[in-house]
Amino acid sequence: MPRVGHPLDRLFYPESVAIIGASRSPSKFGHIQVANLLNTGFGGRIYPVNPRADEILGLRCYPSVLDVPGRVDVAVVSIPAPKVPGAVRECVEKGVGFVVVISSGFKEMGAEGAELERKMVEAVKGTDTRIVGPNTTGILNAENGFTTTFVPIWGPMRPGPVSFIVQTGLFAGSFLMHVLTAEKFGLCKVAGLGNKCDLHEAEVLDYLAQDEATKVIAMYIEGVSDGRKFVEAAREAAREKPVIVLKSGRTEAEQRAALSHTGTLAGRDEIFDAACRQCGLIRVRDFEEMLDLVKAFAMQPVPRGPRTGVASYTGAGCVIASDECALMGLELAELSEESKARLAKALPPWARPTHPIDLEPLHETVGPDGYGLALDVLADDPGVDCVMANIMGLPEEMKGTPFYAEPEDFVRYFSRARERAPEKPIVVCISGDRAGVEASAEALEEVGFPVYPSIRRAIRALSALYRYSLVREKLASR
Amino acid sequence: MPRVGHPLDRLFYPESVAIIGASRSPSKFGHIQVANLLNTGFGGRIYPVNPRADEILGLRCYPSVLDVPGRVDVAVVSIPAPKVPGAVRECVEKGVGFVVVISSGFKEMGAEGAELERKMVEAVKGTDTRIVGPNTTGILNAENGFTTTFVPIWGPMRPGPVSFIVQTGLFAGSFLMHVLTAEKFGLCKVAGLGNKCDLHEAEVLDYLAQDEATKVIAMYIEGVSDGRKFVEAAREAAREKPVIVLKSGRTEAEQRAALSHTGTLAGRDEIFDAACRQCGLIRVRDFEEMLDLVKAFAMQPVPRGPRTGVASYTGAGCVIASDECALMGLELAELSEESKARLAKALPPWARPTHPIDLEPLHETVGPDGYGLALDVLADDPGVDCVMANIMGLPEEMKGTPFYAEPEDFVRYFSRARERAPEKPIVVCISGDRAGVEASAEALEEVGFPVYPSIRRAIRALSALYRYSLVREKLASR
């Protein structure tokens, strides 16, 4: 099933997978991996490998990968580290395309582990077999349900436009759980690279840049294996789609921790920072910022300019939003005379049509439709490039008050604005009553509007969209 | 009911309250205010004032505040702006202590409104009556259930150690809703000051500094009315308890917005920043950071030093935590030989006792008790001043795996560590499965451990505790 015409197609779209270390014990990684492939609806052949079992989860089990009847595209290895080099040698003999080594106990554990890792790399040298990992959760593709992860997955995954490259093993696990249960943007492909003894980030970046299903790339790395190749791949990728990078190992203390974690020596941070700017990568500070930006890019277009329209249910929200726009390189839009006239018509006599639009006086006259009117005005005004709406999540007990809008009402107001101006990104901040906030946030993200718990984070996401539009322009002109 | 022996006692602990503009219509502010006082269990006398009603919510209604039989400590005014100066004059005649003017339409609306505000101030000049507001939600005291807010409250509020001073009206509303429904730290007193035509932040700060029930003060301001008084009150307050300040109006654009919002001219930001440092105030960037710090101060002690102990369920978490400690002025603790020996005894043979403590190998041998062991080691080690634990929220389906801990288990592990070292602040980061994260976060905050969704935010909170310990020391030595 070659998709991109790239060697990594076989890794992400395998037709047959061997699970070396498959287990009958439900808590073992080698059991969860088989169960996951059955749960996610993976359509390829699954070969459990375990010399001490005949059958696992209804699938015939083989003593060795060499006993598997047909071709094996990917072998997943979850056995104790000392046995891994032998298993890799068998995979080479079998002609396996990719061996995903989940096991830990290699370079990250000192000299003895490093020696095991060296032996493993030695085994594939000069062959067509590649190694992913070791010390990783490995690969996931939400499109075809293929995954090597040992994080339990109980059903098909929500497919979407976002691909991740991560260096770490278990962190990808909890991170993956979060994405699968709490995020609405949908997953495309995940590559956990672990110790990167063979396959490293530049190759995956190259692949994801070409992969049409991937619209946004997010990376977590502790260090770069080959700086030159990384820079080349990164620049090409950033020309095609936004690449968001979280790199830790910024301080000396952290560099020591990284060495004991994935055995990578983290490079000097300033050099990496300069490389990011040069390549057009979007660098973020933590996973929270990464996900904030990921969902903005996944759900919204990049704006044509920096002129930001703001509607807020409070005066303080207007003040804070103005401030954050200025601090983050956006400009507060100037409303046209026509827009002002539209607002003035709806406002109570004592209120003036200002920008940011304070929603409260509008609610007094037109009730919850004040949200819709403000969004329409910002969508229609040619002087507005992007929109941030700061709205209120209210408890059901407040139904009937002029401020109360149902989640469906918000969906209608925001969707109408998007129809009027599909080229303008719209981001949302909601605060207030916990249940009200959750219901409306969920409904809005479900239909593609990224929601943030603070104005600063909403504006930061808009600002990232805008800055990437400038980067892409610059890269295209080279 | 004088508590502090301060003039503002009468505002926060009134024995009688008149609601001028009380209404029979359930959606009107003047109705919600009366309902709130009944719902929150306020024990004082409530006098609805409305010339066109005999009874509101079972309470006898009076045509004017002058008709109320006994003394009136606080009058709450929610009538159209042009009628407010007349109502204030009646309050003066009645000898009301504080008039809380909820109505908007004053200085924030231009010249005409400014004139109304001037008349109102004129009316109280030289009298014993003070004005709070206008353009505010006013006062709240969770201890006695007294509130003037028009945000509906359906039951007694969770009393706690945190008091807020806020400048804005409606923002305090949604912010208050958030605090009441989503936060566990518990409210003490809230003062919404609005346009601050009379009562301003320095006086309230002075009061809250002396108020024993208040352990943490958080402020949102757009500008300061009297710089000298503010600096004096702030320094005195910071000597007593942490004062967290969010000030917007930092940029020129925002200063324009602030002018049209509460009619305050926001001062130059650099001057304010210097004043904060000089007074020992803790300045934050947004409401999210404010609440992050508020809950750390409300729930945990300040540490004796910067040496931070970290336990994390992932190698990447260890790397990121080390980095954030270094970036935010904390030091990664060095574990004692005894601590290392305790860890080594529990670890599998291939793992070394490193710090930060990677929980994963411990889980492999002792299962979920690995959390407890790591926390005990950090609590007992004399080289550790404060603790950050990065834990995983797992789905119920993973019950029985070595990583899975029930919310009650986490509560037990963390509470045990606190008993062993009550002087060390402990903060928590949880990520993973949404339902698992929510259940454990809720349980831990319920028993006083602040929980954050990212390592950066957890470490930032610890860092604020540490920096305040230095500030307090410095202020005390003066």
Side-chain angles (χ1 to χ4, degrees):
Chain A
M1 196 198 279
R3 291 309 184 96
V4 174
H6 188 285
L8 293 191
D9 279 333
R10 198 177 172 193
L11 175 61
F12 285 98
Y13 296 94
E15 288 172 5
S16 53
V17 180
I19 312 290
I20 299 175
S23 168
R24 277 173 302 195
S25 160
S27 69
K28 297 276 186 203
F29 288 179
H31 184 91
I32 297 169
Q33 285 156 343
V34 177
N36 280 349
L37 290 173
L38 296 172
N39 293 340
T40 57
F42 172 65
R45 284 180 298 282
I46 308 166
Y47 302 116
V49 174
N50 180 340
R52 287 181 308 282
D54 294 329
E55 202 187 275
I56 285 171
L57 287 165
L59 296 168
R60 188 180 158 189
C61 203
Y62 299 87
S64 149
V65 71
L66 293 169
D67 300 312
V68 170
R71 132 193 178 131
V72 172
D73 291 321
V74 172
V76 187
V77 177
S78 308
I79 55 178
K83 295 185 173 174
V84 172
V88 170
R89 276 190 286 269
E90 289 186 354
C91 288
V92 170
E93 193 180 334
K94 176 71 183 170
V96 170
F98 291 87
V99 187
V100 182
V101 182
I102 306 297
S103 321
S104 56
F106 294 90
K107 195 165 65 179
E108 80 280 9
M109 283 300 160
E112 214 172 308
E115 176 58 18
L116 286 173
E117 194 164 317
R118 201 196 53 72
K119 277 189 186 154
M120 199 162 76
V121 174
E122 187 66 33
V124 299
K125 196 166 274 177
T127 75
D128 289 336
T129 301
R130 302 290 308 272
I131 299 173
V132 180
N135 187 21
T136 182
T137 51
I139 301 300
L140 182 145
N141 183 353
E143 193 185 335
N144 64 353
F146 173 58
T147 179
T148 70
T149 187
F150 51 80
V151 176
I153 301 176
W154 289 277
M157 297 167 280
R158 185 188 188 107
V162 182
S163 291
F164 288 93
I165 301 175
V166 288
Q167 183 164 351
T168 180
L170 198 53
F171 207 101
S174 112
F175 186 69
L176 178 61
M177 253 183 236
H178 169 82
V179 170
L180 291 176
T181 58
E183 298 290 347
K184 300 280 185 191
F185 50 72
L187 270 180
C188 190
K189 298 176 177 67
V190 180
L193 300 178
N195 290 7
K196 304 188 285 190
C197 79
D198 179 13
L199 185 74
H200 57 76
E201 58 281 335
E203 286 174 271
V204 182
L205 207 44
D206 177 60
Y207 178 70
L208 294 176
Q210 295 174 54
D211 176 36
E212 279 190 21
T214 297
K215 308 286 182 206
V216 183
I217 300 172
M219 307 180 70
Y220 169 74
I221 49 178
E222 290 173 0
V224 165
S225 302
D226 182 329
R228 201 181 48 79
K229 279 195 186 149
F230 176 76
V231 165
E232 271 170 30
R235 192 185 288 130
E236 284 309 308
R239 195 197 297 267
E240 298 294 329
K241 47 198 83 170
V243 181
I244 298 161
V245 181
L246 173 61
K247 179 177 171 295
S248 55
R250 289 178 294 179
T251 62
E252 257 185 67
E254 208 183 39
Q255 287 174 20
R256 277 198 302 277
L259 187 61
S260 75
H261 173 216
T262 51
T264 321
L265 188 59
R268 272 191 51 218
D269 193 62
E270 298 73 16
I271 297 174
F272 184 77
D273 212 53
C276 284
R277 277 197 305 276
Q278 193 198 334
C279 304
L281 303 186
I282 301 158
R283 190 162 183 197
V284 292
R285 169 91 188 249
D286 66 358
F287 280 101
E288 190 171 85
E289 187 178 1
M290 176 191 266
L291 289 172
D292 280 358
L293 268 48
V294 155
K295 71 181 175 188
F297 279 107
M299 296 179 178
Q300 294 291 319
V302 299
R304 295 182 179 167
R307 298 168 305 172
T308 308
V310 173
S312 170
Y313 67 85
T314 64
C318 295
V319 176
I320 292 172
S322 307
D323 197 18
E324 295 296 350
C325 282
L327 290 170
M328 296 202 257
L330 296 171
E331 291 165 20
L332 211 57
E334 298 266 354
L335 294 192
S336 69
E337 289 309 314
E338 195 189 327
S339 295
K340 284 185 195 160
R342 275 172 82 184
L343 289 170
K345 231 173 91 180
L347 284 168
W350 53 266
R352 290 163 306 170
T354 52
H355 185 247
I357 301 174
D358 188 344
L359 291 165
E360 205 274 325
L362 285 177
H363 290 319
E364 283 192 21
T365 53
V366 298
D369 283 342
Y371 291 115
L373 173 61
L375 286 167
D376 286 351
V377 165
L378 296 174
D380 296 344
D381 194 310
V384 172
D385 299 312
C386 54
V387 175
M388 195 284 291
N390 179 36
I391 64 178
M392 204 157 32
L394 294 179
E396 280 197 3
E397 289 94 334
M398 284 183 76
K399 205 176 274 191
T401 63
F403 314 98
Y404 184 87
E406 297 280 350
E408 310 85 80
D409 296 328
F410 281 128
V411 165
R412 188 162 42 84
Y413 297 137
F414 281 89
S415 301
R416 192 172 71 200
R418 175 167 56 192
E419 274 162 37
R420 295 168 95 109
E423 78 286 3
K424 299 184 185 180
I426 304 178
V427 299
V428 189
C429 169
I430 309 189
S431 61
D433 173 78
R434 182 176 177 173
V437 165
E438 281 176 5
S440 291
E442 191 117 353
L444 283 168
E445 292 215 330
E446 195 64 53
V447 298
F449 296 98
V451 176
Y452 302 92
S454 84
I455 292 174
R456 190 177 72 80
R457 285 167 62 182
I459 295 284
R460 181 173 70 180
L462 268 190
S463 160
L465 295 178
Y466 171 61
R467 279 179 290 126
Y468 178 65
S469 75
L470 299 179
V471 163
R472 206 173 50 179
E473 216 170 280
K474 203 173 112 193
L475 291 175
S477 70
R478 275 190 193 155
Chain B
M1 197 197 278
R3 291 309 184 97
V4 176
H6 189 286
L8 293 192
D9 279 335
R10 197 177 174 193
L11 174 61
F12 285 98
Y13 297 93
E15 288 173 6
S16 54
V17 180
I19 312 289
I20 299 175
S23 167
R24 276 173 304 194
S25 160
S27 70
K28 297 277 187 201
F29 289 179
H31 184 91
I32 298 169
Q33 285 156 340
V34 177
N36 281 349
L37 290 174
L38 296 172
N39 292 340
T40 56
F42 172 65
R45 284 179 298 281
I46 308 165
Y47 303 114
V49 173
N50 180 339
R52 286 182 308 282
D54 293 329
E55 203 187 275
I56 286 171
L57 286 164
L59 297 169
R60 187 179 158 189
C61 204
Y62 299 86
S64 147
V65 71
L66 293 169
D67 300 312
V68 170
R71 131 192 178 134
V72 173
D73 291 320
V74 173
V76 188
V77 177
S78 308
I79 56 179
K83 294 187 175 174
V84 172
V88 171
R89 276 189 287 268
E90 289 186 352
C91 288
V92 169
E93 194 180 335
K94 176 72 183 169
V96 170
F98 291 87
V99 187
V100 182
V101 182
I102 307 297
S103 321
S104 57
F106 294 91
K107 194 166 64 178
E108 79 281 7
M109 283 299 159
E112 214 171 309
E115 176 58 19
L116 286 173
E117 196 166 316
R118 201 195 54 72
K119 276 188 189 158
M120 201 161 76
V121 175
E122 186 67 34
V124 298
K125 196 167 272 177
T127 76
D128 290 335
T129 301
R130 302 290 308 270
I131 299 174
V132 180
N135 187 21
T136 183
T137 51
I139 300 301
L140 181 145
N141 183 353
E143 193 185 333
N144 63 353
F146 173 58
T147 178
T148 69
T149 187
F150 51 81
V151 176
I153 301 176
W154 289 278
M157 298 168 279
R158 185 188 188 108
V162 183
S163 290
F164 288 93
I165 301 175
V166 289
Q167 182 163 351
T168 180
L170 199 53
F171 206 101
S174 112
F175 185 69
L176 178 62
M177 254 183 234
H178 168 82
V179 170
L180 291 177
T181 59
E183 298 290 348
K184 299 279 184 193
F185 50 72
L187 269 180
C188 191
K189 298 178 175 69
V190 179
L193 301 179
N195 290 7
K196 304 187 286 190
C197 79
D198 179 13
L199 185 74
H200 57 77
E201 57 281 335
E203 285 174 272
V204 182
L205 206 45
D206 177 61
Y207 178 70
L208 294 176
Q210 295 174 53
D211 176 36
E212 279 191 20
T214 297
K215 307 286 182 205
V216 184
I217 301 171
M219 307 180 70
Y220 169 74
I221 48 178
E222 291 173 358
V224 165
S225 302
D226 182 328
R228 200 180 51 79
K229 279 193 186 150
F230 176 76
V231 165
E232 271 170 29
R235 190 184 290 132
E236 284 309 308
R239 193 197 297 267
E240 298 294 328
K241 47 198 85 170
V243 181
I244 298 161
V245 180
L246 173 61
K247 177 178 172 295
S248 56
R250 289 179 294 180
T251 62
E252 257 186 66
E254 208 183 40
Q255 287 174 19
R256 277 199 301 278
L259 187 60
S260 75
H261 174 217
T262 50
T264 320
L265 188 58
R268 273 194 48 219
D269 193 61
E270 297 75 16
I271 297 173
F272 185 76
D273 213 52
C276 283
R277 277 197 304 277
Q278 193 200 333
C279 304
L281 303 186
I282 300 159
R283 191 163 182 196
V284 292
R285 170 90 189 252
D286 65 359
F287 280 100
E288 191 171 83
E289 187 178 0
M290 176 191 266
L291 289 172
D292 280 359
L293 269 47
V294 155
K295 70 181 175 188
F297 280 107
M299 296 179 178
Q300 294 291 318
V302 299
R304 294 182 180 168
R307 297 168 306 171
T308 308
V310 174
S312 170
Y313 66 85
T314 66
C318 295
V319 176
I320 292 172
S322 306
D323 198 15
E324 295 296 349
C325 282
L327 291 169
M328 296 201 260
L330 296 171
E331 290 165 21
L332 211 56
E334 299 267 356
L335 293 193
S336 69
E337 289 310 314
E338 194 190 326
S339 295
K340 283 185 196 161
R342 276 173 81 184
L343 289 170
K345 230 172 90 181
L347 284 168
W350 53 265
R352 290 164 305 171
T354 52
H355 186 248
I357 302 173
D358 188 344
L359 292 165
E360 205 273 327
L362 285 177
H363 290 317
E364 282 192 22
T365 53
V366 298
D369 283 343
Y371 291 114
L373 174 60
L375 286 168
D376 286 350
V377 166
L378 295 174
D380 295 344
D381 194 310
V384 172
D385 299 314
C386 54
V387 175
M388 195 285 292
N390 179 36
I391 63 177
M392 205 156 31
L394 294 178
E396 280 197 2
E397 290 92 335
M398 284 184 77
K399 205 176 274 191
T401 63
F403 314 99
Y404 185 87
E406 298 279 353
E408 308 85 80
D409 297 329
F410 281 129
V411 165
R412 189 162 39 86
Y413 299 137
F414 281 88
S415 301
R416 194 173 67 200
R418 175 168 54 192
E419 273 162 38
R420 294 167 96 110
E423 78 287 2
K424 299 184 184 180
I426 303 177
V427 300
V428 189
C429 168
I430 309 189
S431 60
D433 173 78
R434 183 177 176 172
V437 166
E438 282 176 4
S440 291
E442 190 117 354
L444 283 169
E445 292 215 330
E446 194 65 52
V447 297
F449 296 98
V451 177
Y452 302 91
S454 85
I455 292 174
R456 191 176 72 80
R457 285 167 62 182
I459 296 283
R460 182 173 69 180
L462 268 191
S463 159
L465 294 179
Y466 170 60
R467 279 178 290 124
Y468 178 65
S469 75
L470 300 180
V471 162
R472 206 174 48 179
E473 215 170 281
K474 202 172 112 194
L475 290 176
S477 70
R478 272 186 196 158

